[in-house]
Amino acid sequence: SQQGEEDPQALSIQEGENATMNCSYKTSINNLQWYRQNSGRGLVHLILIRSNEREKHSGRLRVTLDTSKKSSSLLITASRAADTASYFCATGNNQGGKLIFGQGTELSVKP
Amino acid sequence: DVKVTQSSRYLVKRTGEKVFLECVQDMDHENMFWYRQDPGLGLRLIYFSYDVKMKEKGDIPEGYSVSREKKERFSLILESASTSQTSMYLCASSSPGVGDTQYFGPGTRLTVL
């Protein structure tokens, strides 16, 4: 079942620019997570924000969560070519560890 | 560091063959998951397991089965492989109480001819 939907589907920027990706979801959640996937590899967890949090930072990552709008955004500041990857949001609602993943945003950072 | 390993990175099989995909995690996680990933469809949950010998169907279990005889190992079985099962298969594990954060293996790209 589809829960998170990322926007845009693809994003191309220059090194040094900021990249913003958005995620919308449909049902109530306990937490929302962002993952990164390099081409042809597994997903790597980036950051988790709980439903009672509004903003969270980790290095160059900033995540916001608006539960009234059922949406989240991931901001990557001062992007680097190495940030080129697909980024997925995933929602958890205490259903035994299950997460529901969106379809991802493909980010391309050009040197 | 959590490590999740999958038995093969690339696999080529013929239609009708029985296929085993193995996943092993080294962090004593209770939960394990199998997903398939296809372009435009994102990650879709095939099966998951909360504990040894426990299994639950995900969103697309048809044509698949699983086995979890030991806590660290979760196997995905394609009883009779079909070309529609050509995909990237991802295994993940997690532990309750850590926010459901999942740790993924590197993936197995399966091609069924």
Side-chain angles (χ1 to χ4, degrees), chain A residues 1 33 35 37 41 96-97 103, chain B residues 9 37 40 50 59 99 102 105:
Chain A
S1 56
Q33 307 180 31
Y35 289 78
Q37 183 182 34
R41 308 295 296 183
Q103 294 189 10
Chain B
R9 289 282 288 123
Q37 183 178 27
Y50 295 129
D59 298 319
Q102 292 188 8

Side-chain angles (χ1 to χ4, degrees), chain B residues 24-111:
Chain B
V24 178
Q25 50 96 2
D26 67 357
M27 280 302 291
D28 203 36
H29 283 170
E30 289 82 356
N31 304 329
M32 296 189 76
F33 307 83
W34 274 107
Y35 297 90
R36 65 176 282 177
Q37 183 178 27
D38 301 286
L41 296 176
L43 273 76
R44 292 181 292 169
L45 182 63
I46 304 171
Y47 266 98
F48 59 104
S49 170
Y50 295 129
D51 202 349
V52 176
K53 297 193 188 295
M54 302 292 288
K55 59 185 179 185
E56 296 279 346
K57 291 180 180 178
D59 298 319
I60 51 163
E62 296 78 20
Y64 303 93
S65 62
V66 290
S67 172
R68 193 163 181 204
E69 296 296 319
K70 293 185 177 181
K71 191 174 185 179
E72 67 271 18
R73 189 179 297 267
F74 192 34
S75 303
L76 180 69
I77 303 152
L78 286 66
E79 297 291 342
S80 178
S82 69
T83 55
S84 64
Q85 293 176 310
T86 291
S87 186
M88 171 71 111
Y89 289 88
L90 293 164
C91 173
S93 71
S94 72
S95 186
V98 197
D100 304 330
T101 297
Q102 292 188 8
Y103 297 85
F104 282 80
T108 295
R109 187 165 294 281
L110 172 67
T111 301

Side-chain angles (χ1 to χ4, degrees), chain A residues 1 4-5 7 10-11 13 18-20 25-26 32 36 38 47-48 56 64 69 72 76 83 85 88 95 97 109-110:
Chain A
S1 56
E5 293 184 7
D7 168 53
L11 181 61
I13 59 174
N18 295 342
T20 300
Y25 57 92
K26 297 185 175 71
L32 187 143
R36 166 196 167 122
N38 285 72
I47 194 166
L48 178 151
K56 204 160 183 182
T64 61
K69 294 181 179 177
S72 172
I76 304 174
D83 294 328
F88 294 86
Q95 281 195 352
V109 182
K110 300 188 187 314

